[in-house]
Each structure stands twice: as structure tokens, then as C-alpha cells.
Amino acid sequence: MIRDTAVYVFPGVGSYGTEFKSLLPRIRPKGKIVRYPNRYDPEYTVSERSFDDLVAHCVKDLTSNKIGYSVKLIGHSFGAYLAYSCAVAIENSGLSVDSLVVLGANSPSSSLPEIPTSDEETLQYLNRIQPTRLQHT
């Protein structure tokens, strides 16, 4: 059986989905921008009190009446973190996400380098990332 594909895009907090403007005609009618509560409808009265509440709200919306659909999630900036968290929650519920694309955000599993706290550590760091640069200054 060939499944239909539903593509959901999670915008950054301040964009309302404008970064996906050129993509939207290609994913409709089965794809859409995920609308965060209290952002689009002033009459919407449910207030998500935490990031986990927002994830639960989005997962409920994404998984309702989607039997037989291939689900693909795309997230940008804040939407990347939300798309990732929704993908994890969907997978944990026993459903599957076929694709997850995140843009403009660090991977949740990535670690940031330690910040040097002394002149010696700073010199070691700079020599490690570009060994010959300090020789010319």
C-alpha cells in the first residue's frame, strides 16, 4: 500500500512561517504550517504553560486522523527544537516519523566546546583551531 505524505513545518518563533513560503505550495494539501497556540487566533484560550505542554498540544494535532500517512517534519530555529521533540514523542507513542529536517538550531546531542577560563587555555584553544595564525600577529 502506498501511503500519502503529510509534511508539517514548524516555523521559528518570530516568523509565523514566512521562511517556508516557497515550500508551502509544494506540500499542500496534505502539509501545513504548525500553528502554535495563542499566536494565530486571539480567541484561542488554552495557554501552554511549558515547552512540554506545547509539544503535547502539537503531537495531538499532528497525530489526529493521520492513519496511513507518512509523516515528515521540518523545523526552523525554535521550530527545529519543537519538531525534534514532537518526533520523539510520536515515536514514543508507537507511531513513526519518516523524516525530520531541522534548520538553524544545534542538534540536541551536540555539545558545545568548553570556554577557556585563562590566558593559557585561550592560547591553547586558538593554537588548536588555527595553529599558524598566532605566529603572524
Side-chain angles (χ1 to χ4, degrees):
M1 172 176 107
I2 297 176
R3 299 186 305 166
D4 288 324
T5 299
V7 179
Y8 298 97
V9 294
F10 293 75
V13 168
S15 71
Y16 292 88
T18 55
E19 67 268 48
F20 296 113
K21 185 178 179 180
S22 63
L23 178 65
L24 289 176
R26 296 183 180 135
I27 65 172
R28 286 194 173 129
K30 294 181 180 78
K32 70 173 194 170
I33 292 178
V34 174
R35 295 178 177 242
Y36 309 142
N38 298 330
R39 298 251 351 251
Y40 294 90
D41 185 357
E43 301 299 315
Y44 193 86
T45 58
V46 175
S47 176
E48 309 309 335
R49 299 189 190 281
S50 70
F51 185 78
D52 290 337
D53 289 344
L54 181 57
V55 170
H57 171 86
C58 291
V59 167
K60 182 179 176 185
D61 183 47
L62 296 177
T63 58
S64 63
N65 301 317
K66 304 297 186 287
I67 297 171
Y69 279 74
S70 165
V71 176
K72 299 179 185 310
L73 307 179
I74 303 170
H76 173 249
S77 190
F78 171 79
Y81 295 112
L82 188 54
Y84 173 83
S85 296
C86 286
V88 169
I90 290 169
E91 294 275 332
N92 287 342
S93 76
L95 300 174
S96 65
V97 173
D98 291 341
S99 298
L100 171 65
V101 177
V102 295
L103 308 162
N106 287 331
S107 164
S109 64
S110 69
S111 61
L112 298 175
E114 289 190 31
I115 298 172
T117 58
S118 68
D119 290 345
E120 183 180 328
E121 288 178 2
T122 302
L123 183 59
Q124 289 172 355
Y125 171 76
L126 293 173
N127 280 326
R128 189 173 60 248
I129 62 170
Q130 194 172 18
T132 60
R133 182 66 178 164
L134 291 179
Q135 294 173 2
H136 300 289
T137 58

